[in-house]
Amino acid sequence: MSIETEALLQEAKESIEAAQNYRSELQQRLHGLSQARKQVRGSASQTREALQRHFQELQTAVSRLLTERLNALLQEVDNIELDSVSPLDDCQKLIEHGVSTADELLREGEAAIRCGINEKEDKLGSFTKKALQIQLDSLPEVPVLVDVPCLSAQLDDTLLHMFRTHVARHGSVASHPPVQIEELVERPGGVLVRWCKVDDDFTPQDYRLQYRRGNSSQYEDAYIGKDTEFLVLHLDPHIDHLFRVCARGEGRTEWSPWSIPQTGYTTLAPHEWLPGVDGYILSSRKNIAMRSDSSPGHGGVLYSNTPTYFCGQTLTFKITAAGQTDKRDSLGVCADSRTDTDSLQRDQAVCISTNGAVFVNGKEMTNQLPAITVGSSVTFDMEVVNLFPVSNNNNPSDGGNFKLRVTIGSGNREVVFDWLLDQAVDSLYFGCSFTHPGWKVLVF
């Protein structure tokens, strides 16, 4: 095969590979378009169903309210009519009785006048006596029309206008939710969810974060508040979870539409304290440690169950209860889990004391952080400065110093320094030591 033929063959192979890559990229874009179309059509269908269901329920409720109001007003008319007609009926009965009595008296009088002379005196006397007994000058009182109820319906014509105005403004259709999930960051035993506002005209008052396992259909609340990030803990590693967020506008009671669900997971095992250490009681998930009074004044160091802290992560200690302080108290990170010491203020460890002092390999720094109290959160962030231990020939087996840049934060302050270790480490232990009982610390 000639050189020219080989060149053409190589060019053809490269063109085929480029075409395959081009086709793969186009297929991925087709898949993306399919997902976009599915989202538009699916959300449109769900929105139609929600609108139809809501307005049907609203129509039924309004119809029921109007019917109830109409029946109440008709009942009021019936009650007024009954109360007003009843005395008129009584008066009518009295008058009709008087008319009947007068008719009978008239008949007797006319008969007395027409009778013969022999009977006239007796009948006229009887008629006159009876007429005096009836009291022909006594008449029942009949109410004048102004004193009798004249019912009418008082209807406010502005109700329809107000109703029409409110209905015209009721409900809206949004093409995009006002907030969206911005980032999902895996954390030991959890996922840090960050979100942001994407609608410039929307002023959020509160946010609401929900999540569910990938194989579940039921979401559950994880957070409601004003922050724009939240760490969802107690998630099983390597299991997909779906997250979504919504917001409540300022001065509103209803929540906005949900953001587009995002899938996230963690591959990192949760941080756990080592069980069975004298002087400490652990929670069921082993992420909360409480200093007990079983050995007051003689507490050792409580380490993590395994070295689960890796550089690039944020390790957080949150103090939920506090006891008496001691200069040996400490919270921190270390390269090993030595049991021959009662504090992390030692070599191969960095820590902060409850009074805010920072120790690096057992030496106190001049910079100091705020004292630790109930509600305090202490964070540790580390990054590798040297990928290999620093030695004369850069050979890891020769030993030397392995350098990490450490940032410890507490309150609104932080200190940054370089931490030198004897050898390179892939992961680190965390630990705490409290001399007196009453302290409780959550790690995540």
Side-chain angles (χ1 to χ4, degrees):
M1 184 180 297
S2 65
I3 297 177
E4 184 178 352
T5 304
E6 289 182 355
L8 290 174
L9 179 61
Q10 181 63 29
E11 184 177 352
K13 289 180 179 179
E14 292 176 355
S15 297
I16 291 174
E17 183 179 357
Q20 289 175 339
N21 293 335
Y22 182 65
R23 182 182 62 181
S24 177
E25 291 290 338
L26 290 177
Q27 287 175 341
Q28 290 181 8
R29 281 162 173 74
L30 282 175
H31 178 70
L33 284 174
S34 176
Q35 292 295 106
R37 184 178 291 104
K38 181 179 179 181
Q39 177 174 300
V40 172
R41 295 192 181 280
S43 61
S45 177
Q46 292 176 358
T47 302
R48 288 190 194 95
E49 292 177 1
L51 288 171
Q52 292 169 351
R53 180 173 60 254
H54 174 77
F55 276 86
Q56 182 62 47
E57 293 174 353
L58 193 62
Q59 183 177 354
T60 302
V62 170
S63 177
R64 183 178 66 252
L65 290 174
L66 290 175
T67 301
E68 291 176 354
R69 182 56 181 164
L70 173 61
N71 291 335
L73 291 174
L74 292 176
Q75 183 62 48
E76 190 174 348
V77 170
D78 293 342
N79 293 338
I80 295 175
E81 181 184 25
L82 180 62
D83 293 342
S84 302
V85 169
S86 180
L88 296 180
D89 290 340
D90 294 340
C91 184
Q92 180 177 345
K93 291 178 182 179
L94 180 62
I95 292 175
E96 289 176 348
H97 177 71
V99 170
S100 176
T101 303
D103 287 341
E104 183 180 351
L105 185 63
L106 284 173
R107 287 193 296 271
E108 290 184 8
E110 291 173 354
I113 292 174
R114 289 195 302 267
C115 69
I117 297 176
N118 296 332
E119 299 177 334
K120 187 179 291 291
E121 184 177 356
D122 292 338
K123 287 190 176 184
L124 287 175
S126 175
F127 168 75
T128 302
K129 184 178 181 181
K130 188 174 184 179
L132 291 175
Q133 291 177 348
I134 295 177
Q135 298 179 349
L136 296 176
D137 59 346
S138 176
L139 296 173
E141 184 178 359
V142 176
V144 295
L145 295 181
V146 295
D147 295 334
V148 177
C150 181
L151 280 70
S152 63
Q154 305 298 315
L155 301 175
D156 187 359
D157 294 335
T158 62
L159 176 62
L160 183 59
H161 174 72
M162 292 172 55
F163 185 72
R164 184 183 295 111
T165 302
H166 283 287
V167 168
R169 294 198 303 259
H170 182 69
S172 62
V173 176
S175 59
H176 294 85
V179 290
Q180 292 284 7
I181 291 179
E182 186 177 30
E183 187 179 19
L184 298 174
V185 183
E186 68 172 340
R187 289 286 188 262
V191 172
L192 177 63
V193 186
R194 293 192 177 103
W195 57 87
C196 63
K197 180 173 72 77
V198 295
D199 186 351
D200 294 335
D201 297 328
F202 183 79
T203 303
Q205 176 178 299
D206 293 298
Y207 296 101
R208 182 181 184 184
L209 173 67
Q210 289 189 338
Y211 75 101
R212 67 175 175 86
R213 288 175 67 102
N215 57 359
S216 173
S217 60
Q218 186 69 31
Y219 279 92
E220 58 181 287
D221 286 330
Y223 172 78
I224 296 177
K226 300 183 181 298
D227 294 337
T228 55
E229 68 175 40
F230 183 76
L231 178 60
V232 182
L233 293 172
H234 313 316
L235 302 182
D236 295 328
H238 306 285
I239 299 296
D240 284 344
H241 287 79
L242 271 72
F243 302 87
R244 65 181 186 180
V245 67
C246 66
R248 181 162 47 201
E250 190 174 20
R252 306 297 294 268
T253 58
E254 73 279 3
W255 292 101
S256 73
W258 289 104
S259 67
I260 298 173
Q262 300 289 338
T263 302
Y265 63 92
T266 180
T267 60
L268 306 174
H271 290 317
E272 293 181 353
W273 297 105
L274 178 66
V277 177
D278 186 33
Y280 293 93
I281 300 174
L282 306 184
S283 64
S284 59
R285 293 185 179 272
K286 301 177 185 177
N287 61 340
I288 300 177
M290 184 179 70
R291 180 67 168 89
S292 65
D293 54 2
S294 60
S295 57
H298 300 86
V301 178
L302 174 64
Y303 293 103
S304 57
N305 196 15
T306 56
T308 54
Y309 176 71
F310 294 86
C311 292
Q313 299 178 4
T314 297
L315 179 69
T316 303
F317 298 98
K318 185 171 182 62
I319 305 299
T320 58
Q324 182 181 343
T325 61
D326 188 276
K327 64 179 182 179
R328 295 170 295 176
D329 295 342
S330 57
L331 288 167
V333 177
C334 49
D336 51 41
S337 56
R338 289 164 41 187
T339 58
D340 58 348
T341 179
D342 61 353
S343 175
L344 287 175
Q345 300 170 17
R346 61 169 177 83
D347 188 34
Q348 301 296 294
V350 292
C351 67
I352 177 176
S353 179
T354 50
N355 62 9
V358 177
F359 291 84
V360 183
N361 287 334
K363 296 180 180 180
E364 184 176 353
M365 295 183 60
T366 55
N367 294 335
Q368 187 162 335
L369 294 171
I372 296 175
T373 58
V374 176
S376 295
S377 291
V378 181
T379 59
F380 286 77
D381 290 273
M382 299 187 186
E383 60 178 341
V384 178
V385 178
N386 296 103
L387 295 178
F388 298 99
V390 180
S391 61
N392 293 332
N393 56 7
N394 288 331
N395 188 348
S397 62
D398 291 344
N401 290 326
F402 182 69
K403 186 185 292 185
L404 298 176
R405 183 148 297 154
V406 181
T407 302
I408 303 179
S410 179
N412 295 323
R413 297 178 57 189
E414 62 180 27
V415 294
V416 182
F417 56 89
D418 288 341
W419 179 26
L420 300 180
L421 293 171
D422 292 340
Q423 59 183 2
V425 291
D426 293 330
S427 57
L428 296 163
Y429 289 89
F430 59 84
C432 69
S433 64
F434 297 104
T435 304
H436 302 287
W439 291 91
K440 183 185 291 187
V441 56
L442 164 68
V443 62
F444 57 88

